[in-house]
Amino acid sequence: MLWDMDGTLVDSEKVWTVSLADTARRLGGELSAAAREAIIGSNLPRTLVIMFDDLGLPHEADRMAEAERLILRRTGELFRGGLEWRPGAQAALRMVRESGWPTALVTNTGRELTELALDGIGREHFTVSVCGDEVPRGKPDPDPYLRAAELLGVDPRDCLAVEDSPTGALAAGRAGAAVLVVPCEVPVPAGPGRVQRDSLVGLTAAELRSGYTRAREADAA
């Protein structure tokens, strides 16, 4: 099992909305709704490009580096205040752990912030974790998922990833994993290798097995 974090396990996209808005104001503008939607599921370098383009700012290295520091500092403050679980996520994690399946947390969030989030989520739920600043390219590229499968010692095609965003679902699919899509902030289009569920509430081990099978059947169709 490969778990995304933001928007899948915890409702942290709302936290990112605050920190991104605060940073945009420090840069002298307001982040548009379209830019915020485009950022969902992105890694930090791509986020900065989208933000600066949306604000009409040149890609000056020093200014982008300062914006990155502002985002990380503000997000860290908010993460320390605690993150709300997505519906059914805590029970789903326990169910997967009790089923004995190896699991990975696979997130575009950097290691420093992920460690803060794990204080609340619980490190015991994951065999390994892979963060956006630990791979050459973050989601939507497949690198985080490929690295997670490597650390688990499994073929990515034998994995089921749980994702909430188009960016994350694309990354998991590109890595070869089947994808259980549980949308949060934005719709995620249907596609080969994907199955959809409204939430994680009531998720069972049998459903995960059948979801993987259905995703593989859709991939082959």
Side-chain angles (χ1 to χ4, degrees):
M1 283 291 298
L2 309 174
W3 294 96
D4 173 54
M5 183 175 76
D6 296 292
T8 298
L9 295 176
V10 289
D11 203 5
S12 49
E13 290 296 353
K14 292 180 176 61
V15 169
W16 284 102
T17 295
V18 172
S19 62
L20 291 168
D22 288 351
T23 301
R25 283 191 287 271
R26 290 284 296 273
L27 292 169
E30 294 287 335
L31 193 67
S32 70
R36 176 63 189 105
E37 182 172 320
I39 285 170
I40 290 174
S42 295
N43 58 22
L44 194 50
R46 182 168 177 264
T47 291
L48 290 168
V49 169
I50 293 170
M51 173 180 281
F52 273 63
D53 286 347
D54 187 59
L55 298 176
L57 299 174
H59 294 187
E60 297 172 350
D62 289 348
R63 200 172 189 191
M64 293 183 85
E66 176 59 21
E68 178 176 342
R69 287 191 289 271
L70 289 170
I71 292 170
L72 291 175
R73 183 166 65 243
R74 183 65 175 124
T75 306
E77 292 170 356
L78 296 168
F79 270 37
R80 288 185 188 92
L83 297 168
E84 293 185 14
W85 286 96
R86 291 288 297 148
Q90 194 170 18
L93 279 176
R94 285 198 300 265
M95 176 272 294
V96 169
R97 185 183 175 201
E98 290 165 2
S99 297
W101 293 323
T103 59
L105 183 70
V106 188
T107 176
N108 258 351
T109 298
R111 174 58 66 182
E112 182 177 353
L113 290 176
T114 298
E115 288 299 320
L116 293 176
L118 282 170
D119 288 341
I121 295 171
R123 293 169 181 77
E124 68 275 10
H125 294 297
F126 309 104
T127 311
V128 299
S129 59
V130 177
C131 299
D133 56 356
E134 297 171 340
V135 290
R137 299 167 299 175
K139 305 173 189 179
D141 286 295
D143 299 26
Y145 279 109
L146 292 173
R147 178 58 175 158
E150 180 184 17
L151 289 173
L152 291 175
V154 298
D155 187 326
R157 290 191 55 81
D158 293 333
C159 297
L160 178 67
V162 187
E163 274 283 357
D164 73 295
S165 71
T167 298
L170 186 59
R174 285 173 170 172
V179 188
L180 173 61
V181 176
V182 185
C184 179
E185 297 288 339
V186 296
V188 180
R194 299 180 184 178
V195 292
Q196 302 251 352
R197 205 174 193 275
D198 291 338
S199 80
L200 293 171
V201 174
L203 185 67
T204 66
E207 281 186 87
L208 287 177
R209 293 188 187 95
S210 67
Y212 173 83
T213 300
R214 286 186 290 118
R216 282 291 166 239
E217 289 172 347
D219 199 22

